[in-house]
Amino acid sequence: GGGGKADKVEGSFDVKLPGAEEGKVVTRFPPEASGYLHVGHAKAALLNEYFARMYKGKLLIRFDDTNPAKEKEEYEESILADLARLGIKGDAPVTYTSDYFEQLLQLAERLIKEGKAYVDDTPVEQMRKERMDGIESKRRNATVEENLANWRLMVEGKPEGQVFCLRGKMDMQAANKALRDPVYYRCNQTPHNRTGSKYKLYPTYDFACPYVDSVEGVTHALRSSEYHDRNDQYYRVLDDMGVRKVHIWDFSRLNFVYTLLSKRKLQWFVENGRVDGWDDPRFPTVQGMIRRGLTVEALREFIVSQGASKNLNLMEMDKLWTINKKIVDPVCARHTAVVEEGKVLFTFANGPVEAFVKIIPRHKKYEPAGQKATTFTRSVWIDQADALAVSEGEEVTLMDWGNAFVRKVTKNEDGKVTGLEGDLHPEGSVKTTKLKLTWLPQINDLVLLNLVDFDYLITKKKLEEDDDFLSVLNPVTKMETAAVGDANMRNLKKGEIFQLERKGYFVCDVPYVSPRKPIVLFTVPDGRQRPP
Ligand code: ATP
Ligand code: MG
Ligand code: MG
């Protein structure tokens, strides 16, 4: 691409899809509506969109609804809303794998007749073992008639049919175990969201996905790398079906340290009240992360910047938040807060007898951030931590005001500062002081704040396949600090991101409602490593 910054981000990986022609590429994002979209899904969706746009092709969105027990309409709606939030739009109406249930059923029957599939009743555990050991099922060489008879029992949902599944007849000796007669259909009496009780059996992903990809005109099926071993199977299924070939392009699955990216596990937290819901700010869901203060722009930039790498990557969240900070910082407003516990009055002997107000910019280098009214009073509130850091005789700077001398520090028997006295020193230079203090005027209309910080939900950096996540739950994941803030914060809106000077970035979760109810603010990570 050409030189601009946005251009560079959008075009920053020059990966080509195999056999791709401009105007002819069709990609697809096939979520299962069994949970909310998480950052891993966002990667998949964004990459599909990226390639569709890169080749001036089409992006399809399809709900993979082959698992009637898990899918819910609530999830479907949230997934569509999140895709819209990410700026991802399909180029055709949304489809469902279930739109093809009838065709798939006919196809399965044809494969049985052609000797490419058989009905099996090997119990699940035994099948797994036989697959490992390359042992053929005793049903593998049943006659077409026998298979069709058992298939009908399955289709009709007969009790005798419930022990059966349909398997593809591929190669039980294949080095690639995915080719050792995969399951195509399973019996399931659960009613389906869209087809109700019409079907008593459902195709597996392995059977349905290649077919639907092919008939919908997908040219490139992007799949995360954990499916890599199943690529040959996918091609073989297409071959056996005799339908148009689809290219597979693997991309690396996204993983973050201390982070669960599995809908089933996330659901556990929701169902057990460990989090607020799927949009909890501790969740790696699109909604959770946006609520935590992530911008869509940052998410897109992050995915595209590392999107082409095929390594299985375990990322630090910091990378994402660093990009976010870079986007947010130049434009977000500045406000001031003082921690409630131990806040100290600093009184200036020569301070203003009458309070006065000045209008100052909300961001010194970015005018569109607007202006705010700041009140100047003879005594001002400062943080206990700052009060502990000053010494008698020291000259400090009061931000947006000027310098002052500290004359007297009063402490209680616990060593906590209870009061500071001093003099304003307007002629003093900012360059000569070590401490630049944030402060709030001593007025009645400061707002109450609840500053909320979060920790990871689990204490293990990299969760292995057979780790039980319940054994590594972090007992404390939410930390709250009461504070007071400048009166301008009364106008904060939900989702507004800003900086509390010298404290960091925050996002407003619950705006101002009354003088006694605190405004709830979440810390927005800024990519700097936090102390352990
Ligand atoms: P989960 O394990 O959270 O249930 P899933 O893979 O079963 O995830 P799907 O809804 O089937 O969820 O996934 C939709 C698409 O998102 C698939 O193409 C899948 O490969 C991709 N995907 C899921 N998780 C990740 C991830 N961590 N990184 C990249 N892509 C992912
Ligand atoms: Mg899946
Ligand atoms: Mg999964």
Side-chain angles (χ1 to χ4, degrees):
K5 180 172 158 270
D7 202 341
K8 184 171 160 286
V9 171
E10 289 296 314
S12 71
F13 63 100
D14 36 41
V15 173
K16 304 249 179 325
L17 293 177
E21 283 178 61
E22 184 160 309
K24 293 192 180 152
V25 168
V26 180
T27 61
R28 91 297 193 250
F29 176 61
E32 186 182 1
S34 57
Y36 281 52
L37 226 55
H38 60 52
V39 59
H41 300 129
K43 171 174 180 176
L46 285 166
L47 285 179
N48 276 291
E49 191 219 32
Y50 178 87
F51 282 114
R53 303 293 161 249
M54 169 173 162
Y55 288 106
K56 302 187 168 47
K58 281 204 292 190
L59 167 69
L60 307 181
I61 295 172
R62 175 203 318 146
F63 282 109
D64 175 38
D65 57 348
T66 52
N67 197 340
K70 286 202 295 186
E71 288 128 20
K72 280 205 213 148
E73 240 158 272
E74 174 205 347
Y75 296 145
E76 224 172 271
E77 282 161 18
S78 78
I79 288 170
L80 292 175
D82 285 349
L83 289 174
R85 218 166 257 140
L86 295 174
I88 296 174
K89 230 179 116 257
D91 296 305
V94 170
T95 62
Y96 295 82
T97 300
S98 59
D99 297 339
Y100 305 90
F101 277 174
E102 203 52 45
Q103 294 174 43
L104 286 160
L105 215 58
Q106 302 305 320
L107 191 56
E109 192 164 317
R110 204 188 84 209
L111 293 183
I112 295 171
K113 288 178 180 160
E114 292 173 356
K116 293 174 183 164
Y118 61 98
V119 176
D120 195 15
D121 62 353
T122 309
V124 176
E125 270 313 309
Q126 189 185 336
M127 191 188 291
R128 187 171 300 148
K129 206 166 168 297
E130 289 183 354
R131 189 172 275 135
M132 292 305 287
D133 301 340
I135 297 170
E136 295 186 1
S137 161
K138 59 184 188 311
R139 298 262 184 194
R140 194 172 201 265
N141 295 308
T143 62
V144 168
E145 288 67 35
E146 203 180 319
N147 279 320
L148 282 176
N150 289 336
W151 171 247
R152 301 241 153 80
L153 295 176
M154 288 177 70
V155 172
E156 286 159 20
K158 292 279 192 296
E160 322 88 88
Q162 301 305 298
V163 293
F164 293 119
C165 67
L166 184 73
R167 293 177 75 178
K169 196 168 176 178
M170 291 188 178
D171 180 358
M172 285 304 288
Q173 310 309 322
N176 180 346
K177 295 194 175 68
L179 293 173
R180 295 184 179 182
D181 295 5
V183 173
Y184 284 172
Y185 264 92
R186 283 198 184 89
C187 292
N188 189 342
Q189 304 277 348
T190 315
H192 186 279
N193 239 351
R194 299 184 74 245
T195 59
S197 311
K198 183 168 178 195
Y199 300 102
K200 318 289 182 193
L201 72 177
Y202 293 92
T204 57
Y205 174 86
D206 289 343
F207 184 69
C209 185
Y211 176 73
V212 179
D213 282 347
S214 182
V215 297
E216 285 193 336
V218 171
T219 58
H220 294 80
L222 273 51
R223 306 214 298 182
S224 44
S225 37
E226 77 267 24
Y227 287 104
H228 183 77
D229 289 346
R230 280 149 79 179
N231 288 358
D232 289 343
Q233 182 205 76
Y234 179 102
Y235 293 132
R236 173 71 187 265
V237 170
L238 288 178
D239 249 14
D240 282 1
M241 289 173 171
V243 293
R244 185 186 54 84
K245 178 156 176 161
V246 178
H247 292 283
I248 296 177
W249 188 77
D250 293 325
F251 63 89
S252 66
R253 192 184 158 83
L254 183 59
N255 289 301
F256 283 107
V257 293
Y258 301 109
T259 303
L260 297 169
L261 283 183
S262 147
K263 283 180 281 194
R264 187 179 54 79
K265 290 172 188 154
L266 295 175
Q267 188 164 27
W268 181 90
F269 285 86
V270 176
E271 282 174 356
N272 289 278
R274 291 291 191 117
V275 294
D276 290 354
W278 284 94
D279 68 343
D280 189 279
R282 288 161 289 195
F283 257 14
T285 52
V286 169
Q287 291 186 31
M289 296 188 77
I290 288 176
R291 193 171 160 208
R292 183 77 199 268
L294 185 70
T295 58
V296 168
E297 199 183 342
L299 184 57
R300 292 186 68 107
E301 186 174 328
F302 171 78
I303 300 293
V304 174
S305 71
Q306 53 96 56
S309 137
K310 293 219 179 191
N311 308 328
L312 256 186
N313 40 12
L314 180 66
M315 312 279 301
E316 302 277 344
M317 277 281 176
D318 293 357
K319 298 215 168 79
L320 180 52
W321 291 113
T322 300
I323 295 175
N324 195 55
K325 179 193 163 180
K326 208 183 62 195
I327 291 167
V328 163
D329 180 76
V331 296
C332 76
R334 268 59 176 162
H335 291 290
T336 304
V338 169
V339 173
E340 180 61 47
E341 192 182 342
K343 70 184 198 292
V344 175
L345 275 179
F346 189 175
T347 304
F348 313 112
N350 60 347
V353 181
E354 296 256 353
F356 66 97
V357 175
K358 256 171 50 181
I359 303 297
I360 62 173
R362 301 208 302 163
H363 188 308
K364 291 196 180 63
K365 295 184 196 135
Y366 186 69
E367 199 191 330
Q371 298 187 314
K372 60 183 180 185
T374 298
T375 308
F376 296 77
T377 48
R378 211 166 96 91
S379 294
V380 299
W381 294 110
I382 67 168
D383 279 314
Q384 176 69 221
D386 284 338
L388 284 168
V390 303
S391 38
E392 288 179 359
E394 184 175 355
E395 185 170 2
V396 297
T397 298
L398 301 158
M399 286 174 67
D400 295 324
W401 196 347
N403 284 3
F405 287 108
V406 180
R407 300 295 184 201
K408 186 158 178 254
V409 180
T410 313
K411 291 187 179 177
N412 64 16
E413 60 270 27
D414 300 330
K416 288 257 149 67
V417 178
T418 54
L420 291 178
E421 286 165 52
D423 303 303
L424 292 174
H425 182 226
E427 300 80 29
S429 159
V430 190
K431 293 193 186 108
T432 63
T433 57
K434 198 170 83 218
L435 281 173
K436 324 284 174 203
L437 301 182
T438 35
W439 55 274
L440 285 172
Q442 190 193 20
I443 51 174
N444 289 330
D445 62 351
L446 296 179
V447 294
L448 300 185
L449 304 174
N450 180 12
L451 308 181
V452 189
D453 197 5
F454 299 101
D455 202 352
Y456 294 116
L457 290 167
I458 55 172
T459 54
K460 192 160 184 208
K461 196 161 184 173
K462 182 176 190 280
L463 209 62
E464 304 296 341
E465 195 67 49
D466 41 45
D467 278 337
D468 177 14
F469 73 96
L470 295 177
S471 67
V472 292
L473 293 179
N474 187 355
V476 181
T477 57
K478 183 177 188 181
M479 290 76 71
E480 296 175 89
T481 307
V484 287
D486 70 73
N488 302 283
M489 291 167 79
R490 225 170 267 173
N491 300 320
L492 287 172
K493 294 184 184 60
K494 184 173 168 72
E496 200 172 328
I497 302 169
F498 58 93
Q499 189 189 72
L500 283 179
E501 298 217 63
R502 294 175 66 232
K503 289 193 163 51
Y505 300 88
F506 288 79
V507 59
C508 175
D509 193 60
V510 182
Y512 177 85
V513 280
S514 86
R516 275 178 305 279
K517 269 200 91 180
I519 301 172
V520 180
L521 305 179
F522 296 163
T523 58
V524 181
D526 63 4
R528 279 181 307 182
Q529 209 78 37
R530 271 184 296 166

